[in-house]
Amino acid sequence: MSLTRRDFARKSAITGAGVALAGSAGVLATAPNALASTESETASEDSADAHGGGVGYGPLIPDPEGILALPAGFEYRVITYSGRTKLESGEYTPSNHDGTATFDGPRGTTLLVNNHELKGPRAKWQYPVPLTEGLVYDPAAAGGCTVVEVRPGGQVAEWVGIAGTSTNCAGGRTPWGTWLTCEENSDRAGTNGMTKDHGYVFEVDPIDRRANRDPKPLKFFGRYDHEAVVIDPKRGHAYLTEDAASPNGLFYRWTPPKGFAYGRGKFRTLADDAGVLQAPKCFDSGGKFVDDLSRATKIGTVYGVDWVDVPDRDARTTPVRKQFADGEITRARKLEGMWWGDGGTYIVSSFARAESPVQHDGQVWFYDPKRRTLTLKVLLGVNPDPAKDGAFDGPDNITVSPYGGLVIAEDGEGIQHLFGATDSGRTYPIARNELNIGTEAEPEYSEFTGVTFSCDGRTLYANIQTPGIMLAITGPWKRQKRG
């Protein structure tokens, strides 16, 4: 049933939806550079301080190895390192680590599925994902996933989960224990040396290697520059983000066909046009259409959401985001990581610049499927000095912490961090990338990706995308106070 603008305006007047903060919505409300929604919610100077006030784990200590600065008492271990560690087959670990999830494996092991964001032909990359027999979609493409097994004694094994895909970015974990890997590239066959069309989602099983043979693109999710995906475990919808510009991208909802039962391997049974793919059309509490999410300038802004059918999900002649005229749908720049929690999905827009109505250095939204609303949880103002340590910008991958709040991977300008946010909105640093891939005169630090906790909550895994390093962080984790 469509949620009309009139319905939303009426409900907003009754409930005050335009300024409501529900559940754990305030997790990021006072992140550095955040803009408060009302005077009463304005963060004090103390609460905006990323490094003080008793939350978190204290200041970061420089790493003599030049990889990862951590608080006192914490340590890290390198799990995989592109060009140094090797797969079971003898090839080197592929480069450009991205989205990652953890799974309980057999005999006490931890399994991680790790995307490798490698775009274009294989010849472009020194360490592409190896073309393992039976696991290849397009032999011309460099990307894919590896599965990493960490055993109780600390031994590590790694093998290919899928190969021959392109620009595998954030992806998402399913409720039934598989991984959905997303191609953030929609090259057609014949473009950039590709032999098959790209821009699809694929399912990877971390436990049953046989299930990954003969990779099948899940075309019903659409063909575009995919970023992340989550599954609503109650209603069965999938929500997906698109990282695109000119025009800005969209996030999508896919509704499964009536009677479809989820489970391992079930997606393979669906037709390419199964279900319904839709894009959002948002409007404010006064019933006014919202063309771009960057229009929201206050924390707590709530938009009603209607859903508009995608005319041609496989983009045979026109990219999906260009199939809509102005006024038909709501766009946003740099739609990135997603995480299901609190009965809905968190959605990240990493930044907006001149192509958007309003500039910012990061938004986190929460979509409530029951209310059919989007609520702005964080808005980061443009960071005036990214090279200076302290402020955070460019949120990307996010995960819910078993110790309360969120852990966020930074993909901004200058210095890169992993940082946490308590339930009340206090932020604190967890790690800083110290691996300079630039020069001493012009230092450069790669983004963090794939932030995720082990299933027992004891280990935080994260990647440094370039050159491609998976790290396991352990230490005196503690439940964070509200601050």
Side-chain angles (χ1 to χ4, degrees):
M1 181 181 70
S2 174
L3 177 67
T4 67
R5 290 192 295 270
R6 182 176 298 173
D7 289 339
F8 179 67
R10 185 178 69 251
K11 290 180 179 179
S12 296
I14 295 171
T15 64
V19 295
L21 288 173
S24 60
V27 202
L28 298 180
T30 56
N33 306 331
L35 306 179
S37 58
T38 67
E39 289 183 2
S40 63
E41 292 166 353
T42 301
S44 67
E45 292 182 2
D46 181 62
S47 66
D49 181 3
H51 297 279
V55 300
Y57 301 96
L60 302 179
I61 300 173
D63 178 14
E65 300 298 322
I67 296 178
L68 196 68
L70 293 169
F74 283 80
E75 59 185 14
Y76 70 88
R77 177 188 173 205
V78 173
I79 302 298
T80 67
Y81 198 129
S82 180
R84 298 186 184 182
T85 57
K86 290 187 176 183
L87 309 182
E88 288 182 341
S89 54
E91 293 104 336
Y92 282 110
T93 294
S95 62
N96 290 61
H97 296 26
D98 210 288
T100 307
T102 60
F103 307 83
D104 282 330
R107 298 176 295 280
T109 60
T110 293
L111 298 175
L112 302 99
V113 183
N114 185 202
N115 280 353
H116 297 277
E117 191 180 18
L118 299 163
K119 180 179 180 180
R122 300 181 63 77
K124 178 182 175 181
W125 300 98
Q126 184 176 6
Y127 301 113
V129 177
L131 298 178
T132 303
E133 183 181 359
L135 302 178
V136 180
Y137 170 65
D138 180 353
C145 297
T146 53
V147 181
V148 179
E149 180 184 67
V150 181
R151 296 165 185 164
Q155 305 92 333
V156 175
E158 185 178 15
W159 59 87
V160 172
I162 187 173
T165 52
S166 179
T167 325
N168 298 69
C169 208
R173 194 185 194 278
T174 69
W176 52 93
T178 62
W179 173 251
L180 296 175
T181 183
C182 297
E183 291 188 302
E184 192 193 341
N185 174 260
S186 48
D187 283 342
R188 283 288 196 187
T191 304
N192 292 327
M194 299 297 102
T195 66
K196 291 186 177 181
D197 291 346
H198 292 269
Y200 295 118
V201 177
F202 297 80
E203 188 170 23
V204 176
D205 194 316
I207 295 175
D208 184 0
R209 301 194 195 193
R210 296 171 299 177
N212 299 326
R213 297 189 66 82
D214 302 319
K216 179 183 179 181
L218 306 181
K219 294 187 177 182
F220 46 83
F221 284 144
R223 194 183 71 81
Y224 47 88
D225 288 2
H226 286 271
E227 181 70 30
V229 57
V230 297
I231 304 291
D232 180 341
K234 182 177 180 180
R235 298 166 186 84
H237 294 114
Y239 295 93
L240 308 101
T241 49
E242 176 186 31
D243 184 358
S246 301
N248 283 348
L250 305 170
F251 73 95
Y252 300 90
R253 182 182 74 174
W254 178 79
T255 303
K258 187 176 181 179
F260 177 67
Y262 282 109
R264 275 185 155 83
K266 295 297 181 65
F267 277 149
R268 282 177 173 258
T269 68
L270 292 178
D272 292 345
D273 61 353
V276 179
L277 187 69
Q278 299 172 304
K281 183 176 184 178
C282 298
F283 41 91
D284 65 20
S285 59
K288 183 181 178 180
F289 168 69
V290 179
D291 62 340
D292 194 285
L293 293 182
S294 69
R295 296 282 185 190
T297 59
K298 295 180 184 297
I299 297 297
T301 297
V302 178
Y303 293 146
V305 181
D306 213 343
W307 294 97
V308 182
D309 290 358
V310 170
D312 172 22
R313 74 182 81 185
D314 204 49
R316 288 182 289 268
T317 59
T318 305
V320 172
R321 72 186 187 281
K322 295 182 179 181
Q323 294 173 23
F324 299 95
D326 291 344
E328 291 186 324
I329 44 80
T330 301
R331 303 182 183 277
R333 180 69 201 277
K334 198 69 176 169
L335 289 166
E336 296 271 4
M338 306 177 79
W339 188 271
W340 184 267
D342 301 323
T345 182
Y346 292 93
I347 305 169
V348 173
S349 171
S350 286
F351 63 79
R353 292 294 183 265
E355 79 293 323
S356 302
V358 181
Q359 296 188 27
H360 62 73
D361 253 346
Q363 294 178 327
V364 178
W365 292 86
F366 180 79
Y367 178 70
D368 183 335
K370 184 176 180 180
R371 296 177 62 203
R372 286 173 289 168
T373 55
L374 268 175
T375 302
L376 183 61
K377 306 305 183 184
V378 66
L379 174 59
L380 303 181
V382 176
N383 188 349
D385 189 2
K388 182 180 179 181
D389 196 10
F392 305 128
D393 58 72
D396 195 325
N397 291 174
I398 59 174
T399 190
V400 172
S401 170
Y403 303 96
L406 299 178
V407 177
I408 302 159
E410 192 176 14
D411 177 16
E413 302 289 340
I415 297 173
Q416 306 294 327
H417 301 87
L418 296 175
F419 65 96
T422 69
D423 290 339
S424 65
R426 301 292 300 279
T427 59
Y428 56 92
I430 294 174
R432 181 179 62 243
N433 179 7
E434 297 198 324
L435 183 62
N436 182 6
I437 57 175
T439 65
E440 185 175 353
E442 297 183 0
E444 180 181 353
Y445 301 93
S446 175
E447 66 181 277
F448 280 106
T449 63
V451 59
T452 184
F453 275 92
S454 59
C455 296
D456 64 9
R458 296 179 181 178
T459 304
L460 177 65
Y461 291 95
N463 308 314
I464 296 175
Q465 185 174 76
T466 304
I469 306 172
M470 178 184 287
L471 301 161
I473 302 170
T474 54
W477 302 110
K478 63 180 180 180
R479 178 157 294 278
Q480 295 297 316
K481 300 178 181 178
R482 290 185 58 85

